[in-house]
Amino acid sequence: MKYWIVLSAWLLAASGSLQAAEQKLSQQEEQQLGQIRSILVKHPEIIPGVLGSIESYVEQRQLQQQALAKHKDWLFNNPQMPTMGSSKPELQLVVFTDYNCPYCKRMELEFAKLLREFPNLQVVNVFVPLRQIKAQGTELSSGAFALEVWQQDRKDFPRVHELLMAKNGMHTGNSLQQVAKATGTEQYLKPSSSADELMHTNVRVFSELGFGGTPTLLIGDEVIPGYIDYATLKAVVQQVLERQG
């Protein structure tokens, strides 16, 4: 993504429009900018294709930002969405996640580290059942079970969430039973129209935002698709906190 941002900046400079769109670049981005300029000077025949790609990216980015503005309250100020961390956060991170996604499970470990190091953060979980509508052997999905626990017995949610994320592979009716028994939440192992409706809306919002998979993370104005390691996650959070400060 940053490749196109840097390349766009150079093309704007070439057209005399850099001051209107200037942004502060990191040292690494400045170096990349120089490399890109050198390539384009040597191969000017590729400039039209590159410009077309950048224009397409900018258009898609604008549409995504419009969709984010439309759904901002749903994502950031929705008490139905399960959260971890501070109840009065300095910064919220919204993650589109799935209990059956292996990369979401890995990402959850990074969130746990992050919340220990930054106790004033909050992670908002938006469950999207991309891999499994219902767990094998039951009429319930893992996400719907977690949402029912959040709505009915919030104090038990963190442990339920932890165990659901810790399961290797796809959830089944048996694995949900095991989690419920370990947490004393068996009474919530039943289909819920409110949880199903929330999950349906989550999937629609996910689609309107143009996202393609889980996990997808929103931090400030940053959209980060896929798993990222802790060092990268921490660096992005620190950058956003610095901009806000």
Side-chain angles (χ1 to χ4, degrees):
M1 182 181 295
K2 289 191 175 182
Y3 172 87
W4 294 118
I5 293 173
V6 174
L7 188 51
S8 178
W10 183 85
L11 290 173
L12 287 170
S15 64
S17 303
L18 182 59
Q19 290 183 348
E22 187 174 6
Q23 63 177 16
K24 185 178 179 180
L25 301 178
S26 68
Q27 182 177 359
Q28 181 182 15
E29 288 170 335
E30 290 285 2
Q31 293 173 347
Q32 292 172 335
L33 182 61
Q35 293 172 352
I36 292 168
R37 183 183 186 281
S38 177
I39 292 171
L40 293 179
V41 168
K42 292 179 180 178
H43 304 281
E45 70 278 4
I46 69 174
I47 290 178
V50 169
L51 180 58
S53 296
I54 292 172
E55 290 173 339
S56 177
Y57 165 79
V58 170
E59 181 180 0
Q60 292 175 7
R61 176 69 172 171
Q62 289 173 341
L63 291 173
Q64 187 177 77
Q65 289 300 311
Q66 291 171 3
L68 282 171
K70 175 183 175 182
H71 297 299
K72 183 176 180 179
D73 281 344
W74 175 263
L75 297 172
F76 288 91
N77 302 308
N78 190 342
Q80 298 180 84
M81 298 296 188
T83 62
M84 304 291 288
S86 175
S87 60
K88 296 181 179 180
E90 183 179 358
L91 176 66
Q92 288 177 296
L93 289 68
V94 173
V95 58
F96 288 82
T97 189
D98 183 351
Y99 286 121
N100 294 293
C101 165
Y103 295 102
C104 296
K105 298 174 192 289
R106 291 178 60 192
M107 195 75 244
E108 188 64 26
L109 299 176
E110 313 301 4
F111 289 142
K113 296 179 190 176
L114 189 72
L115 292 175
R116 286 195 295 268
E117 187 166 354
F118 297 88
N120 291 330
L121 299 186
Q122 182 185 79
V123 176
V124 181
N125 294 281
V126 182
F127 298 127
V128 282
L130 300 183
R131 301 193 61 183
Q132 184 184 76
I133 301 301
K134 295 178 181 178
Q136 184 180 7
T138 181
E139 292 298 308
L140 193 67
S141 71
S142 52
F145 168 50
L147 287 174
E148 189 66 10
V149 173
W150 173 260
Q151 292 171 7
Q152 303 297 334
D153 196 0
R154 196 158 295 186
K155 65 179 173 55
D156 288 324
F157 174 80
R159 183 57 176 162
V160 169
H161 180 72
E162 179 185 3
L163 292 176
L164 288 173
M165 281 294 183
K167 166 74 167 65
N168 290 325
M170 303 286 283
H171 274 286
T172 64
N174 184 54
S175 69
L176 297 184
Q177 286 281 356
Q178 290 177 346
V179 171
K181 184 176 181 180
T183 56
T185 55
E186 296 98 325
Q187 64 270 37
Y188 307 122
L189 279 175
K190 57 185 179 181
S192 166
S193 59
S194 61
D196 288 343
E197 183 179 349
L198 181 62
M199 298 263 282
H200 177 77
T201 304
N202 287 349
V203 171
R204 177 175 58 81
V205 171
F206 180 85
S207 178
E208 289 182 14
L209 291 171
F211 298 156
T214 56
T216 295
L217 182 61
L218 305 179
I219 309 179
D221 295 329
E222 295 278 348
V223 178
I224 304 175
Y227 168 82
I228 56 174
D229 62 28
Y230 183 70
T232 303
L233 176 62
K234 179 180 176 180
V236 173
V237 166
Q238 289 176 323
Q239 289 172 4
V240 174
L241 288 172
E242 289 173 1
R243 288 201 300 266
Q244 290 186 350

